[in-house]
Amino acid sequence: MQLRMGDTLLGSIIVEERDMPWWLGRFEAAPEFDSVRPLFDDWSRAVKAADDGAMDAAFNALRDLGLVIDRADGAPISRFFLYIDADRVRLRY
């Protein structure tokens, strides 16, 4: 799976296991991911702190980017929860 913002590839999601409804694995960031990394870091910190207000703000900021995940079968996913912490990823769609 590939994480995209418009035509820009931000990185690849390599699914290693499933803990339904979550898909777990690795995230291989493309250089362009650095432009949005701070927003994912904010989301990660908010989730770890269980800070509802910060989670809402971080989630909305990420949602507003219009990110899309392209699946291997070509079907795009536009509504999802994506948690990236360093090179680890949790995805729910």
Side-chain angles (χ1 to χ4, degrees):
M1 290 188 234
Q2 295 184 325
L3 178 64
R4 296 189 172 279
M5 184 172 60
D7 292 332
T8 303
L9 174 65
L10 298 177
S12 297
I13 298 167
I14 296 87
V15 175
E16 297 173 331
E17 62 182 290
R18 295 180 184 115
D19 184 10
M20 293 314 263
W22 293 95
W23 304 74
L24 311 172
R26 290 181 293 117
F27 182 71
E28 294 179 353
E32 292 77 9
F33 183 71
D34 286 340
S35 69
V36 297
R37 185 183 305 273
L39 297 175
F40 278 95
D41 291 346
D42 290 346
W43 171 243
S44 180
R45 279 190 297 275
V47 169
K48 286 179 182 177
D51 181 334
D52 290 338
M55 282 191 285
D56 284 345
F59 178 80
N60 290 335
L62 287 169
R63 184 195 62 215
D64 291 347
L65 293 174
L67 301 175
V68 173
I69 296 173
D70 289 332
R71 295 183 347 176
D73 66 5
I77 305 165
S78 59
R79 296 181 62 177
F80 55 86
F81 290 103
L82 180 63
Y83 179 78
I84 298 172
D85 189 10
D87 70 339
R88 302 306 302 165
V89 66
R90 292 173 45 115
L91 169 65
R92 179 179 177 175
Y93 64 94

